[in-house]
Amino acid sequence: SQKIEQNSEALNIQEGKTATLTCNYTNYSPAYLQWYRQDPGRGPVFLLLIRENEKEKRKERLKVTFDTTLKQSLFHITASQPADSATYLCALSAGNNRKLIWGLGTSLAVNP
Amino acid sequence: GAVVSQHPSRVICKSGTSVKIECRSLDFQATTMFWYRQFPKQSLMLMATSNEGSKATYEQGVEKDKFLINHASLTLSTLTVTSAHPEDSSFYICSALPGGAYNSPLHFGNGTRLTVT
């Protein structure tokens, strides 16, 4: 069955640097992959979606890549700010339906 | 746009009582809503898929008689935790799929922290 692995350890970086978060999957390549942000005690907020035929997607300071050969997606936040501190979740489409498979998330702390 | 409102945000109840959680799509119609549960430092776990006008589809291991789902309109789905027990204490989050397209981003409510004493 499909499994998702995200960095389990928290990522601490200095303000202004680029944060890079990793999402690896183990089985079939999903039709699409999504990244969400979750703050403590809140629901996830959608950030970016990338399809299997797309290598890269950008939105303001955010960039997502999708490498089906490596079975990996990278999520980048450039010029990071303390307000970017949150948990970032990776989710994959589970075949030909509306369900998503979720990673555990990676906690990011941006220090001023 | 695409705002999902979930109430209550927190609820404390006694063991054996029932709790109802509401999930509303405020500015769009949602034929499909999803109910998730999240334990501390765990990933989102899908409990059930709620479809307007029909019975919910429950994931394996989720008791449909314990977690009652009603999706009576295109903007409201409810989850009722019946005869709650301390092990039901968790963070429950609903999400909606605007337009129903399977590759659309999900819009989440802000969750309900349920504590059963």
Side-chain angles (χ1 to χ4, degrees):
Chain A
S1 61
Q2 184 75 285
K3 291 185 180 178
I4 300 175
E5 298 170 354
Q6 291 188 255
N7 311 46
S8 58
E9 294 184 11
L11 181 63
N12 283 273
I13 64 169
Q14 203 65 29
E15 181 176 8
K17 300 292 186 182
T18 296
T20 298
L21 286 69
T22 305
C23 175
N24 295 302
Y25 56 94
T26 59
N27 203 344
Y28 59 85
S29 284
Y32 58 94
L33 185 152
Q34 301 183 31
W35 284 89
Y36 290 78
R37 167 186 174 141
Q38 186 175 24
D39 291 280
R42 308 294 289 265
V45 174
F46 170 75
L47 296 174
L48 282 169
L49 180 153
I50 188 166
R51 293 179 171 77
E52 62 179 334
N53 60 348
E54 297 176 317
K55 293 198 178 300
E56 182 179 297
K57 206 80 168 281
R58 292 176 183 263
K59 178 183 175 183
E60 298 173 353
R61 293 184 297 112
L62 310 180
K63 184 177 84 171
V64 171
T65 63
F66 194 1
D67 189 325
T68 56
T69 301
L70 293 178
K71 296 188 177 182
Q72 181 181 80
S73 174
L74 298 179
F75 177 79
H76 306 273
I77 305 175
T78 59
S80 60
Q81 305 166 0
D84 295 326
S85 300
T87 295
Y88 290 86
L89 305 172
C90 166
L92 309 182
S93 59
N96 191 25
N97 57 41
R98 299 168 181 167
K99 296 181 187 177
L100 292 175
I101 302 173
W102 294 85
L104 278 173
T106 298
S107 175
L108 171 67
V110 180
N111 305 307
Chain B
V3 177
V4 176
S5 175
Q6 187 173 343
H7 291 281
S9 58
R10 290 177 178 272
V11 58
I12 300 172
C13 70
K14 292 188 177 181
S15 187
T17 60
S18 295
V19 173
K20 180 186 281 189
I21 303 169
E22 290 189 349
C23 181
R24 294 181 185 273
S25 55
L26 297 185
D27 50 2
F28 66 97
Q29 293 184 333
T31 55
T32 302
M33 290 186 176
F34 301 94
W35 286 96
Y36 288 89
R37 182 166 54 183
Q38 188 177 36
F39 292 104
K41 299 192 183 301
Q42 298 290 316
S43 66
L44 291 170
M45 188 192 82
L46 180 64
M47 299 176 66
T49 301
S50 170
N51 299 296
E52 188 267 335
S54 63
K55 292 183 179 180
T57 304
Y58 290 82
E59 294 301 301
Q60 191 173 8
V62 178
E63 300 175 57
K64 62 179 181 180
D65 294 330
K66 180 169 184 61
F67 298 100
L68 300 178
I69 291 173
N70 184 287
H71 195 157
S73 77
L74 285 171
T75 59
L76 174 64
S77 176
T78 61
L79 168 68
T80 301
V81 183
T82 63
S83 187
H85 287 96
E87 57 265 31
D88 298 324
S89 298
S90 187
F91 190 51
Y92 292 86
I93 319 174
C94 72
S95 68
L97 201 55
Y102 81 95
N103 59 352
S104 298
L106 290 177
H107 295 269
F108 286 85
N110 270 328
T112 297
R113 174 73 59 192
L114 171 62
T115 303
V116 185
T117 61

